[in-house]
Amino acid sequence: MDRFHQSPTDPAFVQDPYPAYAAARRRGSLHWWDAYAMPAAFDFATVDAVLRDRRFGRETPRELAEAPPAHLVPFYAIDDHSMLELEPPRHTRLRKLVLRAFTTRRIAALAPEIEALCHDLIDGFPEGAFDLLPAYCERLPVIVIARLLGVPEAMAPQLLAWSHAMVAMYQARRDRAAEESAAQAAGEFADFLRRHAEARRARPADDLISHLVAAEDAGDTLSTEELIATCVLLLNAGHEATVHTLGNGVKAILEHAAQDALAPDRVEGTVEEILRFDPPLHMFTRWAYEDAEIAGHRFARGDRIALLLGAANRDPARWHAPERFDPARPVRPNAAFGAGLHFCVGAPLARLELRIGLATLFARCPKLRLAAPPRYADLYHFHGLERLTVRR
Ligand code: HEM
């Protein structure tokens, strides 16, 4: 197998990973990625097929699971109960409980509230040049997911801090200090949610935490650890990727002068093109559970594979001129939300926030423009901006 020599923290790669992906894809589907010590798939067909292939999954094979080092126990006390790290039957049970609360009707009913929140945030924009990420892109998704779960909105800055510390565990720049702060954040987050769930048990409200507590009380469908892990996952997954997509989307619209593409009859396709062109999550991995041949390579139980969503979305075998941002192109499903069993639970909510968030922003600020060249943050496999300085 060909090798892919590429540091995921190389500044040029962080700013623009797509040329390296394209060069690898031209040489073949699978390459051994030194930095992760596993084969990586770069084309859409392979990435999509492995995501849907039940011979592969996210949960560590039983015989390879190791006890975490002492300093990471609080982190894995949560992560081990997260549906994102599990396979059936536990995954099925946890996902079903969450899906019950995330019905299409319930999500669609949030539209007026999301729009009102966008207007409030825009009313608060300062004069002159300012960073749109903290002023808008972060606030919108974190407040929406906090409200859905029933966590006080005033907690938003604390939720952001805990979440940033925890997701650093999945980033290439992870080191001992990042691990310690992830473990501390996980412990504090779990304590907060345990107290909050108790309060909801005493006085239920119409929010997701109350529904999960009721499911827990109704039998052994959900343990307290699972309840906490589910809330942490929803709060973290519920904003990290949406923040980056809003930022990447504003950048793409401004750099391509594509404001017209946010008209009501076009915004849906434009959001899909943003998710295809510059997705916020570039890589997920899978374990092989049995022997399988993928793109000519034989995998045995316990082998791993990296699936490059960011590369799959630029595959010329699926999209004409994939390097071009073209909001008018016909929509074909892309890999940004994954596929198969772990397909993003929050996709309908994320799409709604992106459509309303982008359309409202540009309707209210038609002269919005970049005040400095945007730069991506060193967070691989996350792909989002460090700062987005604009003027209205
Ligand atoms: C643009 C925004 C978003 C993107 C690009 C995104 C992307 C993804 C991807 C790629 C996965 C699958 C990972 C894998 O297969 O290994 C995933 C899973 C998940 N996402 Fe999202 N996500 C977004 C927003 C959200 C939101 C708003 C929520 C919650 C409200 C959410 C909740 C989840 C959950 C709970 C899972 C785990 C599903 C499972 O394991 O069955 N995501 N997301």
Side-chain angles (χ1 to χ4, degrees):
M1 193 188 310
D2 225 6
R3 289 188 171 257
F4 184 57
H5 291 293
Q6 176 63 62
S7 160
T9 56
D10 164 21
F13 180 75
V14 167
Q15 292 312 311
D16 185 5
Y18 301 108
Y21 293 158
R25 198 191 311 99
R26 277 195 292 274
R27 299 198 315 272
S29 306
L30 275 190
H31 302 271
W32 182 265
W33 194 347
D34 301 339
Y36 291 94
M38 66 178 87
F42 288 79
D43 65 305
F44 182 86
T46 309
V47 167
D48 189 61
V50 176
L51 285 170
R52 295 172 193 274
D53 190 331
R54 299 294 303 278
R55 294 172 299 175
F56 291 84
R58 288 199 52 125
E59 191 169 339
T60 313
R62 229 171 308 110
E63 69 278 13
L64 294 177
E66 288 172 6
H71 72 286
L72 286 177
V73 167
F75 179 83
Y76 286 104
I78 291 182
D79 210 50
D80 286 351
H81 299 284
S82 162
M83 83 174 88
L84 186 53
E85 306 303 338
L86 296 171
E87 292 300 315
R90 279 183 79 195
H91 173 266
T92 318
R93 180 167 50 81
L94 295 174
R95 186 168 166 116
K96 215 192 284 171
L97 277 170
V98 170
L99 279 177
R100 220 185 282 158
F102 273 67
T103 58
T104 318
R105 195 144 35 97
R106 210 188 202 130
I107 298 303
L110 294 172
E113 201 184 321
I114 294 177
E115 192 175 339
L117 174 58
C118 291
H119 284 290
D120 283 352
L121 294 173
I122 295 167
D123 289 341
F125 283 175
E127 292 297 319
F130 66 101
D131 185 355
L132 194 68
L133 294 183
Y136 193 69
C137 305
E138 277 186 0
R139 302 273 308 273
L140 174 60
V142 77
I143 292 176
V144 170
I145 193 69
R147 285 183 186 170
L148 254 179
L149 271 130
V151 169
E153 255 172 76
M155 288 289 293
Q158 179 63 76
L159 295 175
L160 285 169
W162 281 332
S163 173
H164 290 338
M166 288 185 73
V167 301
M169 287 290 283
Y170 307 111
Q171 292 162 0
R173 66 188 172 106
R174 167 179 167 175
D175 56 14
R176 174 75 189 217
E179 291 182 352
E180 281 171 3
S181 79
Q184 187 181 340
E188 290 173 10
F189 208 163
D191 288 345
F192 163 73
L193 284 168
R194 200 170 285 118
R195 282 196 307 274
H196 193 66
E198 283 313 311
R200 283 295 191 258
R201 180 168 284 126
R203 284 198 333 145
D206 185 20
D207 58 39
L208 189 51
I209 292 187
S210 302
H211 291 297
L212 291 174
V213 167
E216 185 192 12
D217 289 345
D220 59 354
T221 36
L222 190 74
S223 69
T224 302
E225 280 68 34
E226 288 170 346
L227 182 145
I228 289 170
T230 303
C231 294
V232 169
L233 173 66
L234 288 171
L235 284 164
N236 290 355
H239 74 272
E240 289 282 351
T242 315
V243 172
H244 294 319
T245 314
L246 277 168
N248 297 357
V250 169
K251 171 179 181 286
I253 300 281
L254 290 174
E255 287 180 346
H256 297 85
Q259 288 84 341
D260 289 353
L262 295 169
D265 59 333
R266 297 187 59 195
V267 68
E268 204 170 312
T270 302
V271 164
E272 295 312 301
E273 177 65 352
I274 288 169
L275 285 160
R276 181 198 72 80
F277 180 73
D278 207 15
L281 307 170
H282 276 210
M283 181 184 90
F284 284 97
T285 60
R286 291 293 187 267
W287 292 96
Y289 295 143
E290 54 186 270
D291 291 350
E293 188 171 322
I294 301 292
H297 178 77
R298 292 204 64 76
F299 286 81
R301 181 174 170 87
D303 287 347
R304 300 183 80 188
I305 180 170
L307 305 170
L308 297 188
L309 311 183
N313 277 3
R314 299 278 188 112
D315 186 345
R318 188 165 173 86
W319 289 279
H320 173 67
E323 309 300 333
R324 199 165 66 211
F325 178 66
D326 177 8
R329 74 168 69 237
V331 174
R332 299 192 74 184
N334 66 64
F337 289 116
L341 219 60
H342 293 280
F343 179 82
C344 179
V345 166
L349 175 62
R351 286 184 162 122
L352 188 70
E353 290 181 65
L354 290 164
R355 285 175 203 156
I356 299 176
L358 292 169
T360 311
L361 175 69
F362 282 95
R364 286 281 310 274
C365 309
K367 292 189 178 144
L368 196 76
R369 58 201 186 279
L370 293 171
R375 288 182 55 76
Y376 290 90
D378 175 14
L379 301 174
Y380 199 84
H381 73 99
F382 292 80
H383 184 66
L385 299 170
E386 187 169 73
R387 216 169 297 118
L388 181 53
T389 315
V390 294
R391 278 177 201 280
R392 51 186 311 200

